[in-house]
Short mmCIF file of all heavy atoms in Angstrom, two decimals:
data_model
loop_
_atom_site.label_atom_id
_atom_site.label_comp_id
_atom_site.label_asym_id
_atom_site.label_seq_id
_atom_site.Cartn_x
_atom_site.Cartn_y
_atom_site.Cartn_z
N MET A 131 117.79 123.51 76.67
CA MET A 131 117.95 122.06 76.51
C MET A 131 119.33 121.60 76.96
O MET A 131 119.82 120.54 76.55
CB MET A 131 117.65 121.67 75.05
CG MET A 131 116.21 121.93 74.63
SD MET A 131 114.98 120.99 75.59
CE MET A 131 115.04 119.43 74.67
N ALA A 132 119.97 122.39 77.82
CA ALA A 132 121.29 122.03 78.35
C ALA A 132 121.18 120.81 79.26
O ALA A 132 120.09 120.43 79.74
CB ALA A 132 121.86 123.20 79.12
N THR A 133 122.32 120.20 79.53
CA THR A 133 122.39 119.09 80.49
C THR A 133 122.00 119.60 81.87
O THR A 133 122.51 120.63 82.31
CB THR A 133 123.83 118.54 80.53
OG1 THR A 133 124.20 118.18 79.20
CG2 THR A 133 123.94 117.34 81.45
N PRO A 134 121.11 118.90 82.57
CA PRO A 134 120.72 119.34 83.91
C PRO A 134 121.91 119.36 84.86
O PRO A 134 122.85 118.55 84.71
CB PRO A 134 119.70 118.28 84.35
CG PRO A 134 119.26 117.61 83.09
CD PRO A 134 120.39 117.69 82.12
N GLY A 135 121.87 120.24 85.84
CA GLY A 135 122.98 120.31 86.79
C GLY A 135 122.55 120.94 88.11
O GLY A 135 121.53 121.62 88.18
N TYR A 136 123.33 120.67 89.12
CA TYR A 136 123.05 121.21 90.46
C TYR A 136 124.27 121.93 91.01
O TYR A 136 125.39 121.49 90.82
CB TYR A 136 122.77 120.07 91.45
CG TYR A 136 121.51 119.29 91.18
CD1 TYR A 136 121.55 118.18 90.37
CD2 TYR A 136 120.31 119.66 91.76
CE1 TYR A 136 120.40 117.43 90.12
CE2 TYR A 136 119.18 118.93 91.54
CZ TYR A 136 119.22 117.82 90.71
OH TYR A 136 118.08 117.09 90.48
N GLN A 137 124.01 123.01 91.73
CA GLN A 137 125.01 123.58 92.61
C GLN A 137 124.42 123.47 94.00
O GLN A 137 123.46 124.19 94.34
CB GLN A 137 125.32 125.03 92.24
CG GLN A 137 125.89 125.13 90.80
CD GLN A 137 126.36 126.51 90.43
OE1 GLN A 137 127.18 127.11 91.11
NE2 GLN A 137 125.83 127.04 89.34
N ASN A 138 124.95 122.55 94.78
CA ASN A 138 124.46 122.33 96.14
C ASN A 138 125.39 123.05 97.10
O ASN A 138 126.57 122.70 97.24
CB ASN A 138 124.42 120.83 96.48
CG ASN A 138 123.31 120.13 95.70
OD1 ASN A 138 122.16 120.57 95.73
ND2 ASN A 138 123.64 119.06 95.00
N LEU A 139 124.88 124.08 97.76
CA LEU A 139 125.71 124.97 98.57
C LEU A 139 125.25 124.84 100.04
O LEU A 139 124.14 125.25 100.38
CB LEU A 139 125.55 126.41 98.09
CG LEU A 139 125.66 126.59 96.57
CD1 LEU A 139 125.18 127.98 96.16
CD2 LEU A 139 127.09 126.34 96.10
N ALA A 140 126.11 124.25 100.86
CA ALA A 140 125.81 124.19 102.28
C ALA A 140 125.99 125.58 102.87
O ALA A 140 126.66 126.44 102.28
CB ALA A 140 126.75 123.20 102.95
N ALA A 141 125.41 125.79 104.04
CA ALA A 141 125.49 127.10 104.69
C ALA A 141 126.93 127.61 104.73
O ALA A 141 127.21 128.77 104.44
CB ALA A 141 124.90 127.04 106.09
N GLU A 142 127.86 126.70 105.05
CA GLU A 142 129.26 127.14 105.21
C GLU A 142 129.96 127.38 103.87
O GLU A 142 131.05 127.93 103.84
CB GLU A 142 130.05 126.12 106.06
CG GLU A 142 130.09 124.71 105.51
CD GLU A 142 128.94 123.83 106.04
OE1 GLU A 142 127.88 124.38 106.43
OE2 GLU A 142 129.11 122.61 106.02
N ASP A 143 129.32 127.00 102.78
CA ASP A 143 129.90 127.27 101.44
C ASP A 143 129.57 128.67 100.95
O ASP A 143 130.08 129.10 99.92
CB ASP A 143 129.32 126.29 100.40
CG ASP A 143 129.67 124.85 100.68
OD1 ASP A 143 130.70 124.61 101.33
OD2 ASP A 143 128.91 123.96 100.23
N ILE A 144 128.66 129.34 101.63
CA ILE A 144 128.18 130.64 101.14
C ILE A 144 128.99 131.74 101.82
O ILE A 144 128.89 131.91 103.05
CB ILE A 144 126.67 130.79 101.38
CG1 ILE A 144 125.94 129.69 100.58
CG2 ILE A 144 126.18 132.19 100.99
CD1 ILE A 144 124.48 129.57 100.85
N PRO A 145 129.80 132.46 101.05
CA PRO A 145 130.65 133.47 101.69
C PRO A 145 129.86 134.63 102.24
O PRO A 145 128.78 134.95 101.73
CB PRO A 145 131.58 133.92 100.56
CG PRO A 145 130.92 133.53 99.30
CD PRO A 145 129.99 132.39 99.61
N GLU A 146 130.40 135.23 103.28
CA GLU A 146 129.69 136.28 103.99
C GLU A 146 130.58 137.51 104.07
O GLU A 146 131.77 137.39 104.34
CB GLU A 146 129.37 135.75 105.39
CG GLU A 146 128.39 136.60 106.14
CD GLU A 146 127.93 135.89 107.40
OE1 GLU A 146 127.29 134.82 107.31
OE2 GLU A 146 128.24 136.39 108.49
N ALA A 147 129.98 138.68 103.82
CA ALA A 147 130.71 139.94 103.97
C ALA A 147 130.15 140.63 105.20
O ALA A 147 128.93 140.83 105.29
CB ALA A 147 130.54 140.80 102.75
N ALA A 148 131.03 141.02 106.12
CA ALA A 148 130.61 141.82 107.29
C ALA A 148 130.55 143.27 106.85
O ALA A 148 131.47 143.76 106.19
CB ALA A 148 131.59 141.62 108.42
N LEU A 149 129.50 143.97 107.22
CA LEU A 149 129.36 145.37 106.85
C LEU A 149 130.08 146.25 107.88
O LEU A 149 130.03 145.95 109.08
CB LEU A 149 127.88 145.75 106.77
CG LEU A 149 127.10 144.98 105.69
CD1 LEU A 149 125.59 145.15 105.88
CD2 LEU A 149 127.53 145.44 104.31
N PRO A 150 130.73 147.31 107.42
CA PRO A 150 131.52 148.13 108.34
C PRO A 150 130.71 148.73 109.50
O PRO A 150 131.22 148.80 110.61
CB PRO A 150 132.10 149.23 107.44
CG PRO A 150 131.46 149.11 106.11
CD PRO A 150 130.81 147.76 106.02
N GLY A 151 129.46 149.09 109.23
CA GLY A 151 128.64 149.67 110.29
C GLY A 151 127.75 148.67 111.01
O GLY A 151 126.81 149.06 111.71
N GLY A 152 128.02 147.37 110.81
CA GLY A 152 127.21 146.33 111.40
C GLY A 152 126.30 145.71 110.38
O GLY A 152 125.92 146.35 109.39
N GLY A 153 125.96 144.45 110.59
CA GLY A 153 125.17 143.70 109.63
C GLY A 153 126.06 142.84 108.77
O GLY A 153 127.29 142.96 108.83
N ARG A 154 125.44 141.95 107.99
CA ARG A 154 126.21 141.02 107.16
C ARG A 154 125.42 140.65 105.92
O ARG A 154 124.19 140.74 105.90
CB ARG A 154 126.60 139.77 107.95
CG ARG A 154 125.39 139.00 108.46
CD ARG A 154 125.79 137.99 109.57
NE ARG A 154 124.57 137.34 110.07
CZ ARG A 154 124.11 136.17 109.59
NH1 ARG A 154 124.75 135.52 108.64
NH2 ARG A 154 123.00 135.65 110.06
N VAL A 155 126.17 140.27 104.92
CA VAL A 155 125.57 139.92 103.63
C VAL A 155 126.11 138.56 103.21
O VAL A 155 127.32 138.37 103.11
CB VAL A 155 125.92 140.96 102.55
CG1 VAL A 155 125.38 140.56 101.19
CG2 VAL A 155 125.41 142.34 102.94
N ARG A 156 125.22 137.60 103.02
CA ARG A 156 125.61 136.29 102.48
C ARG A 156 125.48 136.37 100.96
O ARG A 156 124.41 136.68 100.45
CB ARG A 156 124.71 135.19 103.05
CG ARG A 156 124.78 135.11 104.59
CD ARG A 156 123.79 134.07 105.13
NE ARG A 156 124.23 132.73 104.83
CZ ARG A 156 123.49 131.78 104.29
NH1 ARG A 156 122.23 132.04 103.96
NH2 ARG A 156 123.97 130.58 104.06
N VAL A 157 126.57 136.05 100.27
CA VAL A 157 126.63 136.24 98.83
C VAL A 157 126.34 134.89 98.15
O VAL A 157 127.21 134.03 98.05
CB VAL A 157 128.00 136.81 98.39
CG1 VAL A 157 127.96 137.18 96.91
CG2 VAL A 157 128.35 138.03 99.23
N ILE A 158 125.09 134.71 97.76
CA ILE A 158 124.68 133.45 97.15
C ILE A 158 125.17 133.41 95.69
O ILE A 158 125.71 132.41 95.22
CB ILE A 158 123.15 133.26 97.22
CG1 ILE A 158 122.71 133.22 98.70
CG2 ILE A 158 122.71 131.98 96.47
CD1 ILE A 158 121.19 133.31 98.90
N ALA A 159 124.98 134.50 94.96
CA ALA A 159 125.44 134.60 93.58
C ALA A 159 125.78 136.04 93.30
O ALA A 159 125.27 136.95 93.93
CB ALA A 159 124.35 134.11 92.62
N GLY A 160 126.67 136.23 92.32
CA GLY A 160 127.11 137.57 91.95
C GLY A 160 128.25 138.02 92.85
O GLY A 160 128.99 137.16 93.38
N ARG A 161 128.41 139.32 93.02
CA ARG A 161 129.55 139.84 93.73
C ARG A 161 129.11 140.98 94.63
O ARG A 161 128.29 141.80 94.23
CB ARG A 161 130.55 140.33 92.67
CG ARG A 161 131.86 140.85 93.19
CD ARG A 161 132.85 141.00 92.06
NE ARG A 161 133.61 139.77 91.83
CZ ARG A 161 134.68 139.39 92.55
NH1 ARG A 161 135.13 140.15 93.50
NH2 ARG A 161 135.29 138.26 92.29
N PHE A 162 129.61 140.98 95.84
CA PHE A 162 129.31 142.09 96.75
C PHE A 162 130.58 142.41 97.55
O PHE A 162 131.17 141.50 98.16
CB PHE A 162 128.17 141.73 97.73
CG PHE A 162 127.98 142.77 98.79
CD1 PHE A 162 127.35 143.97 98.51
CD2 PHE A 162 128.50 142.56 100.06
CE1 PHE A 162 127.22 144.94 99.50
CE2 PHE A 162 128.37 143.53 101.06
CZ PHE A 162 127.72 144.73 100.75
N ALA A 163 130.98 143.68 97.55
CA ALA A 163 132.14 144.14 98.34
C ALA A 163 133.36 143.25 98.11
O ALA A 163 134.05 142.89 99.06
CB ALA A 163 131.75 144.21 99.82
N GLY A 164 133.58 142.88 96.86
CA GLY A 164 134.75 142.08 96.53
C GLY A 164 134.62 140.62 96.85
O GLY A 164 135.55 139.84 96.62
N VAL A 165 133.46 140.20 97.34
CA VAL A 165 133.24 138.80 97.68
C VAL A 165 132.46 138.14 96.54
O VAL A 165 131.39 138.64 96.16
CB VAL A 165 132.46 138.66 99.00
CG1 VAL A 165 132.13 137.22 99.31
CG2 VAL A 165 133.24 139.30 100.14
N ALA A 166 132.99 137.07 95.98
CA ALA A 166 132.31 136.38 94.87
C ALA A 166 131.33 135.37 95.43
O ALA A 166 131.61 134.69 96.42
CB ALA A 166 133.33 135.67 94.00
N GLY A 167 130.18 135.29 94.84
CA GLY A 167 129.11 134.42 95.30
C GLY A 167 129.45 132.95 95.16
O GLY A 167 130.36 132.56 94.41
N ALA A 168 128.68 132.13 95.87
CA ALA A 168 128.94 130.69 95.90
C ALA A 168 128.49 130.04 94.58
O ALA A 168 129.10 129.07 94.14
CB ALA A 168 128.19 130.07 97.08
N ALA A 169 127.42 130.51 93.98
CA ALA A 169 126.92 129.92 92.74
C ALA A 169 127.50 130.67 91.57
O ALA A 169 127.60 131.90 91.60
CB ALA A 169 125.38 129.98 92.74
N GLY A 170 127.89 129.96 90.54
CA GLY A 170 128.50 130.61 89.37
C GLY A 170 128.04 129.99 88.07
O GLY A 170 127.33 128.99 88.05
N GLY A 171 128.46 130.61 86.99
CA GLY A 171 128.21 130.05 85.66
C GLY A 171 126.75 130.09 85.26
O GLY A 171 126.28 129.24 84.51
N ILE A 172 126.01 131.11 85.72
CA ILE A 172 124.58 131.15 85.43
C ILE A 172 124.31 132.24 84.38
O ILE A 172 124.83 133.35 84.47
CB ILE A 172 123.78 131.42 86.72
CG1 ILE A 172 124.03 130.25 87.70
CG2 ILE A 172 122.31 131.56 86.43
CD1 ILE A 172 123.96 130.64 89.12
N ALA A 173 123.53 131.86 83.38
CA ALA A 173 123.38 132.67 82.16
C ALA A 173 122.95 134.10 82.45
O ALA A 173 123.46 135.03 81.84
CB ALA A 173 122.37 132.00 81.24
#
Side-chain angles (χ1 to χ4, degrees):
M131 296 298 277
T133 304
Y136 294 90
Q137 298 186 57
N138 289 309
L139 313 167
E142 58 269 24
D143 297 334
I144 298 171
E146 192 170 296
L149 296 168
R154 60 196 177 92
V155 177
R156 301 175 72 229
V157 188
I158 299 169
R161 184 167 271 278
F162 172 76
V165 176
I172 299 150

